[in-house]
Amino acid sequence: EPKTKTKCICKQINLHRNTMNEINILKKLKNSNSGYFPKYMYHTKIDKSTVSIYYEYIPGKDLFQTFFQDFSMIPKFEKVIDLAKNMLYCVIELQKYNLMHIDIKLENFIFDMHNNKLYLIDFEGCQKIPPGNRIGDMGTFLTTKNYVPPEIWFKIGHKNTDIWNIGICLWLLLTRQYPFYTSSVRSTILLYKNSTHFKKYDQFTKKMEYDIIKKCKVVYKFPTNEHSNQLLKIKNYNKLLEMFAQIFTLEPNDRITAKQLLKMISNMLI
């Protein structure tokens, strides 16, 4: 860090609306004593289009680097359960600030292996949770292919939206495969976005909405025989299948909550 000469993390990004959103979120989370988030220090503008955000140093690598770049580092079942609990602690703490992350993925968790500590990072797309248990319109959003929950295609969010992403992370750690491939849903949306009608009205048409729902029902079907086969050799197969069935629901209102999932996961090792 230029001022104190201490080790830190510097994130250098293009300056846009979501950049300021991340900075404001990090300032809020600085009050959290949980230790699940990077500690914001300050930010500086490098030029008209670039900003540097400084955080306190976090040792370790992201979960994708840790377990997917080195194939000897395949986590055991007990380790995945431990990581799942830590992921949920991050989400529960974030919910205390009435926030949902929207882009939870393995690359957005830094794992300090020596202290067995997990940190959630990258808050550019973070949104306020809609009041009550209702689904709310989020406006713009940032998310990642194959992690996308069904409701995000309609730019709507829910307090259980992040639970879907946690489910994808766990599935990847257990099977080393994605449970869903979302390119066909995305291509359906792009087809409409490129149409003259969509450009003219700049909104989802009823037909587009119908087509996306129809596509989601196919893409996000769970469990299929393939899903069952992927889990079959893993410890606690039946409990895992039941857990994922409660995570991967099309309707976020029907999805298991963070606290319910934490309780379910904690009981798996008993």
Side-chain angles (χ1 to χ4, degrees):
E1 193 276 323
K3 295 178 182 178
T4 63
K5 306 299 180 187
T6 55
K7 196 182 280 190
C8 69
I9 293 173
C10 176
K11 180 179 180 179
Q12 196 171 100
I13 47 178
N14 291 330
L15 185 59
H16 49 76
R17 191 181 72 175
N18 288 320
T19 306
M20 295 314 298
N21 184 53
E22 175 159 24
I23 290 167
N24 292 331
I25 297 294
L26 285 166
K27 285 179 179 178
K28 274 188 184 180
L29 296 177
K30 196 175 180 181
N31 298 321
S32 171
N33 295 316
S34 64
Y36 296 125
F37 314 115
K39 288 285 184 184
Y40 169 83
M41 296 168 70
Y42 63 90
H43 67 279
T44 57
K45 282 186 181 179
I46 296 173
D47 52 44
K48 288 182 179 180
S49 60
T50 316
V51 65
S52 288
I53 307 173
Y54 289 88
Y55 315 92
E56 288 183 8
Y57 179 69
I58 302 172
K61 297 186 290 187
D62 70 56
L63 282 179
F64 187 85
Q65 288 178 311
T66 303
F67 293 114
F68 282 79
Q69 290 188 353
D70 182 356
F71 279 84
S72 66
M73 287 293 295
I74 297 173
K76 293 181 179 179
F77 175 79
E78 290 77 10
K79 185 64 196 174
V80 174
I81 295 301
D82 186 55
L83 289 169
K85 287 161 71 175
N86 279 286
M87 288 178 192
L88 287 164
Y89 291 143
C90 293
V91 170
I92 290 167
E93 185 65 21
L94 197 61
Q95 288 180 350
K96 289 178 184 177
Y97 291 84
N98 197 40
L99 293 169
M100 50 187 177
H101 189 280
I102 305 299
D103 195 26
I104 286 177
K105 55 185 174 181
L106 293 178
E107 292 90 336
N108 280 341
F109 283 109
I110 301 295
F111 183 42
D112 178 0
M113 198 179 295
H114 298 295
N115 296 308
N116 196 37
K117 183 77 178 172
L118 212 58
Y119 300 86
L120 180 60
I121 63 168
D122 198 0
F123 298 93
E124 284 183 65
C126 210
Q127 303 275 347
K128 284 186 179 179
I129 296 172
N133 205 32
R134 291 178 298 161
I135 292 173
D137 188 349
M138 297 188 307
T140 58
F141 61 86
L142 295 171
T143 188
T144 301
K145 181 184 174 183
N146 296 329
Y147 279 89
V148 187
E151 61 271 21
I152 293 293
W153 295 116
F154 300 96
K155 292 192 176 184
I156 51 180
H158 187 275
K159 69 174 184 179
N160 294 333
T161 292
D162 286 338
I163 298 304
W164 182 283
N165 295 63
I166 295 287
I168 302 289
C169 291
L170 300 185
W171 192 277
L172 276 166
L173 289 170
L174 288 167
T175 70
R176 307 187 81 79
Q177 298 178 61
Y178 288 104
F180 311 104
Y181 292 91
T182 61
S183 55
S184 63
V185 184
R186 186 171 180 272
S187 62
T188 303
I189 290 173
L190 289 175
L191 189 70
Y192 278 91
K193 280 190 174 182
N194 293 328
S195 72
T196 310
H197 183 82
F198 191 85
K199 284 177 180 175
K200 186 177 179 181
Y201 293 101
D202 195 30
Q203 62 183 8
F204 287 101
T205 64
K206 284 186 178 179
K207 185 174 186 326
M208 179 184 184
E209 203 166 294
Y210 171 79
D211 285 348
I212 297 170
I213 290 171
K214 193 166 72 171
K215 187 71 74 174
C216 283
K217 284 180 178 178
V218 175
V219 170
Y220 292 117
K221 188 179 179 183
F222 186 91
T224 61
N225 289 336
E226 187 180 348
H227 289 134
S228 298
N229 290 336
Q230 286 174 19
L231 284 182
L232 203 54
K233 295 178 182 178
I234 300 172
K235 199 173 178 179
N236 280 340
Y237 163 79
N238 288 325
K239 286 184 178 179
L240 281 174
L241 202 60
E242 180 191 346
M243 179 190 78
F244 282 115
Q246 293 187 54
I247 293 173
F248 296 138
T249 63
L250 281 176
E251 289 291 338
N253 278 320
D254 300 332
R255 204 169 293 153
I256 192 169
T257 67
K259 289 182 178 178
Q260 289 169 342
L261 183 55
L262 180 60
K263 185 178 179 180
M264 181 182 277
I265 284 173
S266 299
N267 290 333
M268 273 195 192
L269 295 179
I270 298 173

